[in-house]
Amino acid sequence: MKQPFRTNKLRFFCSVIILFSLSTFVVLAEQVTQEQQTADRFWEILVKSPRRGTTFDRVYAYYVDTGHAEQLLQYCQNLTEENPKYAKAWMLYGLTAERRGLIEDAANAFQNATQLDSKDTVAPFYLGELRMVQGRLSEAIDALEIAAQRQPTRTEIRAVLQTLGRAYERFGEPQKSAAVWNKLEQLFPEDPEMLVQIAELLESENRFDEALKRYEKLIATAGDEFSRVRYVLALVDIKLKQGNEQDALENLNKLLDHLAPESWLAESVRDRIERIFIRNNDITGLVEFYRARLEKHSTDFEAVRRLALAMRQLGQLDDARQLLSTTIEKTPSHIPLRLTLIDFLIDLKEIAAAVEQYQVIDQLSPNNSDYLTRWGQLVLQNENVNEESRQAEAVKIWSRITDADPTNPVAAVTTADLLLRNKIYNEAEQFYQKAMALRPNDTAYREYLALFYHSRRQKEKGLETLRPLGEGDKQTIDNLAQLGNLLQSLGYASESFQTFQRAAALFADDWQTQWRYIEAMIRRGTPPDMEEAAQRLTQAERLVETEEQFEAFLQQEVQFLKSTQKLAETTATLEKQIEEIQNNKESVSLVRAFWRLAVYRQAEVKIQAAVTAIEKALDVEPSPSNRLRRVAAELFEQNGDGEKALEAYQILAEEDTVRRVDHLKHLISLQIKLGQIDNAIETGRRLIGLGSGNPAYLRFYADLLLSVGRREEGMEILRQALRMEPGDVTTLALLAQTLAQDGKGNEAIEITWRLFERTDNLSGQLSIINTLTD
């Protein structure tokens, strides 16, 4: 009997591994990829030990990504038919069927595996879990008991007994579940997390008393403060569910006794206590609680502070103030108590007393910018002191923010901003000047001061502050452009104009600088300005060298001609000039002349005339540049001449390597408009080739395939993109949406869960959950 079994076992392993390594149903007529080889290696491991986990996940994810999850399921089913007596075949089928949502098929497969292999613990455990999902608790218990009896490993026994105990709980067998929990505790006596898991399971089944027993044991044996707090809070939550608030409060109060009063753990416990009272709208009870606590713990100063705040809610301001004052006398260095007292004093309109408290706080924590800021603001609120004295005192206080860090311009600006907001202008100016002096070469601090002067309507001072930005060695093209724009934004039109004018004189060979001056003249708009702008524009053209500059210049020239309403007149003049150029046979000038005429006509929305002009430019130039051809392609497309546009973009896609991707996308769009679907798809393949595996290119191509009805091919491209970049959420979302639209719900769910795992923000996760629910 043993020999045939070995023969069957060997035949099974060989058939599984060979068939999968050949990937006969995975990739149609494609070379085996690295991803396939990786999947094959994981498959070999899985065949030897069929289990849930990373190995199965990697195999299954690969076949989902390649769109062959159904074939994987069918293949595993075929294995069971070829090897009906071999348990591992049934396990493979069960795992795949379970992942595909076929719970009954998976359960039956695990049932067969359980019967065929009398030593395997995993099969009956998986069977028990699935029967619980189905609500068939009696069958679940039977399967789980089998798993428990088969001597599972230490890791396996935890999961088996936990699930068995839960099944007994749900089946109404508390004595048997208790026996399971006791056995777990005996098996793992030194593992507090096991007790936590048992307690959480019992709590989830509403077995509160049993859960409490575990937490009480955990609290008694807790090895550190954090764990003790964690267990007590869990115990308190259960007591609150039971409605036993008094006991819960006692537990929390006792826990506080063991914590450092100023620690974050103690703060968390106090917050929990206060939530109990606030939930019941029982502020009086909260006051009584803190009073009772202070009778036993008179040095719990945080309890004093919170008691005062609770009394404040009851309107007992005077009593709360007296409590705080008395306690501060006992612990004069306690800053939180003093800050709370300051809030009370402000409510009671005792500003002078509150200011005195800040004086003490400043001695305890010198030069704290937060305290200094609030102190100065409070001083200004003291109406019992004349305004001049108040402001002088505030200046003195806020100056210390800068004094504490005298070389930091940010500190000086912080002080200046405080003074400006409170209308203490002279001193604010001094601190803005100090910040600028600390960083004389940093334009930002000079701008801060200039903006201050602007807010004070001190134009000359503002201009005096800004002028150095464009003087001396700072007279660069960029600096003058920045200065001119800043002056313009502040409304200093004349000064801005003068700056652009100066820049134009200094950099007469830079056409962009000349254009900025032309724009300034257009903004001013006087007749002399417009005349000079026209002259300057003609002169600026002589500075244009490259076609890129010429194209940009034409756009600016058209803008000028439109603003002066001279576009039609200039177009007519240009047409006459073209005749003269043609007579002189100046081909280079003629090409640009026709190019300019095409742009003029396009601006006049005379597209056919623009096309005629650009075609003449192409006729004159036997080897037109890529830039000129692109202008022509755009005009052809705008004119509705798809064939000419198509031809132009085809040439551009060959010759213009820098913008080839854009040209190919235009080409695809045109091919689809013209009904050339096969050509569009072929161009899409070419685009993918350029992308070197770029998922964005693959998504573009997939969109193309989906839009023309080639759904399966489109989804396959999306899967390819996903294999290249598994974490790309855009591809995951698009693939999930496409699968759902095509009725492939199981695969859509798989992909959407992966999208969920890679989404960090809550709103995105909620949106994905809504999609999954649908």
Side-chain angles (χ1 to χ4, degrees):
M1 291 297 293
K2 290 184 179 179
Q3 188 62 35
F5 177 78
R6 287 182 178 175
T7 302
N8 287 339
K9 181 176 181 179
L10 180 62
R11 185 184 299 118
F12 170 74
F13 274 109
C14 290
S15 64
V16 171
I17 294 171
I18 291 173
L19 281 172
F20 258 80
S21 63
L22 292 175
S23 303
T24 54
F25 62 82
V26 177
V27 179
L28 303 177
E30 289 187 3
Q31 185 178 3
V32 176
T33 64
Q34 182 178 356
E35 292 85 359
Q36 290 170 331
Q37 293 170 359
T38 301
D40 289 344
R41 287 195 294 271
F42 276 108
W43 175 258
E44 292 178 13
I45 297 170
L46 185 65
V47 167
K48 297 174 184 177
S49 180
R51 300 285 189 274
R52 296 174 188 151
T54 302
T55 301
F56 176 74
D57 290 342
R58 290 290 297 271
V59 171
Y60 186 77
Y62 173 74
Y63 289 103
V64 169
D65 290 347
T66 56
H68 297 91
E70 288 296 335
Q71 290 93 321
L72 173 64
L73 179 67
Q74 184 61 53
Y75 180 77
C76 290
Q77 186 175 10
N78 292 342
L79 288 178
T80 64
E81 295 172 358
E82 295 173 5
N83 304 272
K85 299 296 184 183
Y86 198 63
K88 285 184 171 59
W90 287 105
M91 286 294 292
L92 290 168
Y93 177 61
L95 290 169
T96 310
E98 178 187 11
R99 188 62 67 87
R100 300 298 291 168
L102 305 173
I103 301 302
E104 183 59 29
D105 288 353
N108 290 334
F110 292 142
Q111 176 74 54
N112 289 336
T114 299
Q115 295 172 350
L116 290 168
D117 188 346
S118 60
K119 295 183 179 180
D120 184 21
T121 302
V122 176
F125 172 56
Y126 288 173
L127 173 61
E129 286 190 316
L130 291 186
R131 291 307 187 203
M132 284 188 68
V133 170
Q134 293 175 308
R136 294 156 66 169
L137 295 177
S138 178
E139 295 175 55
I141 289 170
D142 291 341
L144 292 166
E145 285 182 336
I146 291 173
Q149 293 166 4
R150 288 186 173 181
Q151 298 182 343
T153 65
R154 185 173 177 82
T155 301
E156 292 171 343
I157 193 63
R158 292 179 69 139
V160 170
L161 291 181
Q162 284 177 347
T163 309
L164 178 59
R166 189 186 297 114
Y168 278 133
E169 293 283 355
R170 295 183 185 179
F171 197 59
E173 295 276 6
Q175 292 181 339
K176 290 185 177 180
S177 67
V180 172
W181 304 138
N182 290 334
K183 184 175 181 179
L184 269 172
E185 291 179 45
Q186 292 169 5
L187 288 171
F188 302 93
E190 303 300 325
D191 187 353
E193 285 305 309
M194 173 55 68
L195 265 184
V196 171
Q197 291 172 14
I198 294 172
E200 289 174 347
L201 285 170
L202 289 165
E203 183 181 355
S204 68
E205 300 296 333
N206 295 328
R207 294 285 305 283
F208 296 135
D209 290 339
E210 292 298 320
L212 287 174
K213 290 179 183 178
R214 269 71 184 185
Y215 280 122
E216 287 168 354
K217 183 176 180 181
L218 285 164
I219 292 167
T221 58
D224 59 85
E225 191 174 76
F226 177 78
S227 297
R228 185 184 303 107
V229 173
R230 173 190 172 196
Y231 303 146
V232 172
L233 294 182
L235 178 140
V236 165
D237 286 340
I238 294 176
K239 289 188 175 182
L240 291 175
K241 288 180 181 178
Q242 292 178 310
N244 196 348
E245 292 182 349
Q246 192 58 42
D247 274 0
L249 286 170
E250 288 179 7
N251 286 120
L252 291 171
N253 199 15
K254 289 178 181 178
L255 181 59
L256 275 179
D257 295 344
H258 300 283
L259 300 176
E262 308 298 330
S263 69
W264 69 271
L265 288 173
E267 182 180 3
S268 176
V269 172
R270 290 190 180 94
D271 288 342
R272 186 72 65 95
I273 290 169
E274 293 190 2
R275 283 201 294 272
I276 294 173
F277 286 104
I278 292 171
R279 184 176 61 186
N280 294 324
N281 195 26
D282 186 13
I283 304 303
T284 301
L286 180 60
V287 168
E288 292 173 355
F289 171 84
Y290 278 128
R291 286 190 186 281
R293 176 161 183 79
L294 286 169
E295 288 179 3
K296 297 180 179 180
H297 305 278
S298 59
T299 59
D300 187 348
F301 300 120
E302 179 60 18
V304 172
R305 194 183 71 82
R306 290 184 180 239
L307 171 58
L309 292 173
M311 293 169 67
R312 180 185 188 181
Q313 293 184 59
L314 294 178
Q316 301 172 5
L317 283 175
D318 290 331
D319 291 343
R321 174 194 174 175
Q322 183 59 43
L323 171 66
L324 289 168
S325 299
T326 303
T327 308
I328 287 171
E329 290 177 2
K330 299 175 183 177
T331 175
S333 62
H334 200 285
I335 292 178
L337 283 176
R338 290 187 181 275
L339 291 172
T340 304
L341 177 59
I342 287 171
D343 291 337
F344 279 81
L345 293 171
I346 292 172
D347 286 347
L348 294 168
K349 308 298 183 184
E350 297 184 22
I351 305 301
V355 168
E356 290 177 3
Q357 290 298 322
Y358 270 121
Q359 292 172 346
V360 178
I361 289 174
D362 182 57
Q363 294 173 359
L364 297 171
S365 179
N367 299 322
N368 183 301
S369 60
D370 289 336
Y371 299 153
L372 291 172
T373 298
R374 293 162 61 184
W375 182 10
Q377 290 169 338
L378 192 58
V379 163
L380 291 173
Q381 296 176 30
N382 190 1
E383 296 180 355
N384 294 324
V385 178
N386 66 69
E387 185 175 6
E388 183 178 350
S389 299
R390 279 183 289 169
Q391 289 187 347
E393 184 64 19
V395 170
K396 181 180 178 182
I397 293 168
W398 286 335
S399 296
R400 291 176 53 194
I401 297 174
T402 302
D403 295 341
D405 197 0
T407 62
N408 185 356
V410 175
V413 168
T414 300
T415 301
D417 286 344
L418 284 168
L419 293 165
L420 177 60
R421 283 199 297 269
N422 289 279
K423 302 179 181 180
I424 308 176
Y425 299 120
N426 291 337
E427 289 76 4
E429 177 183 358
Q430 294 172 14
F431 280 98
Y432 281 124
Q433 289 175 338
K434 180 177 178 62
M436 186 180 73
L438 287 169
R439 294 289 188 277
N441 296 322
D442 192 328
T443 59
Y445 296 105
R446 188 173 293 276
E447 289 181 17
Y448 285 140
L449 179 58
L451 289 171
F452 166 77
Y453 287 133
H454 178 69
S455 70
R456 299 290 299 132
R457 299 182 180 178
Q458 297 177 350
K459 179 179 177 180
E460 286 306 317
K461 284 189 174 182
L463 292 173
E464 184 181 348
T465 302
L466 291 174
R467 284 192 188 102
L469 294 176
E471 293 179 348
D473 59 356
K474 294 188 179 299
Q475 289 189 104
T476 65
I477 291 175
D478 291 338
N479 282 358
L480 289 172
Q482 180 184 359
L483 177 58
N485 290 329
L486 178 59
L487 291 168
Q488 180 68 29
S489 68
L490 293 175
Y492 302 154
S494 176
E495 291 74 11
S496 173
F497 181 88
Q498 292 170 9
T499 301
F500 288 125
Q501 187 180 47
R502 179 156 54 97
L506 287 170
F507 302 100
D509 294 335
D510 184 75
W511 74 274
Q512 284 284 17
T513 301
Q514 298 302 315
W515 172 249
R516 280 191 282 268
Y517 179 39
I518 291 168
E519 283 185 314
M521 287 187 283
I522 294 172
R523 278 195 298 270
R524 202 156 68 167
T526 66
D529 284 329
M530 300 309 288
E531 290 178 10
E532 185 180 353
Q535 295 172 3
R536 289 267 179 177
L537 194 62
T538 303
Q539 295 169 1
E541 184 178 358
R542 301 191 187 108
L543 303 174
V544 171
E545 297 178 353
T546 67
E547 285 193 340
E548 181 181 5
Q549 292 175 344
F550 180 69
E551 185 176 18
F553 173 80
L554 285 180
Q555 298 303 320
Q556 293 169 336
E557 183 187 35
V558 166
Q559 178 184 336
F560 172 76
L561 293 173
K562 280 184 173 182
S563 67
T564 58
Q565 298 182 345
K566 291 185 177 181
L567 181 58
E569 176 187 337
T570 307
T571 302
T573 301
L574 177 60
E575 288 178 328
K576 292 179 182 179
Q577 291 173 346
I578 286 175
E579 291 181 10
E580 297 176 3
I581 295 172
Q582 285 177 313
N583 293 333
N584 295 331
K585 297 181 180 180
E586 299 177 20
S587 59
V588 175
S589 299
L590 191 58
V591 170
R592 289 202 173 183
F594 279 125
W595 186 346
R596 173 183 259 118
L597 181 60
V599 174
Y600 286 179
R601 291 302 192 189
Q602 185 182 28
E604 292 178 317
V605 198
K606 296 179 179 179
I607 305 303
Q608 183 57 55
V611 168
T612 301
I614 206 69
E615 285 181 327
K616 289 181 179 179
L618 293 172
D619 290 339
V620 172
E621 178 56 65
S623 301
S625 66
N626 291 329
R627 192 167 294 275
L628 178 60
R629 197 180 296 280
R630 179 169 52 78
V631 174
E634 291 172 356
L635 283 172
F636 292 149
E637 188 175 1
Q638 197 172 351
N639 195 43
D641 194 340
E643 291 295 340
K644 287 186 177 180
L646 199 66
E647 181 182 356
Y649 279 120
Q650 285 172 334
I651 296 173
L652 284 168
E654 293 295 333
E655 298 184 357
D656 189 1
T657 57
V658 175
R659 303 185 63 177
R660 179 169 288 162
V661 170
D662 291 335
H663 299 323
L664 287 173
K665 289 182 177 181
H666 272 292
L667 191 56
I668 290 169
S669 177
L670 277 170
Q671 287 169 331
I672 291 175
K673 287 180 182 178
L674 296 173
Q676 300 178 11
I677 304 303
D678 291 339
N679 289 341
I681 292 172
E682 184 60 35
T683 306
R685 292 196 186 102
R686 184 180 174 190
L687 178 66
I688 290 177
L690 292 175
S692 300
N694 189 324
Y697 292 176
L698 290 170
R699 284 196 301 271
F700 182 87
Y701 182 47
D703 278 334
L704 164 64
L705 293 169
L706 294 170
S707 67
V708 298
R710 296 173 70 158
R711 310 285 296 178
E712 288 297 331
E713 293 179 61
M715 282 189 284
E716 180 57 37
I717 295 299
L718 287 175
R719 293 187 183 100
Q720 184 180 342
L722 203 57
R723 292 197 296 276
M724 291 180 176
E725 195 169 339
D728 189 90
V729 294
T730 305
T731 306
L732 282 167
L734 182 56
L735 179 57
Q737 179 184 359
T738 305
L739 289 166
Q741 290 171 348
D742 285 25
K744 299 183 178 182
N746 286 329
E747 287 184 65
I749 289 170
E750 288 285 343
I751 298 298
T752 306
W753 272 121
R754 288 168 62 182
L755 178 62
F756 179 87
E757 292 169 355
R758 286 167 173 78
T759 302
D760 296 329
N761 61 84
L762 179 60
S763 60
Q765 290 179 334
L766 290 174
S767 175
I768 293 168
I769 289 297
N770 288 335
T771 301
L772 279 168
T773 304
D774 292 338

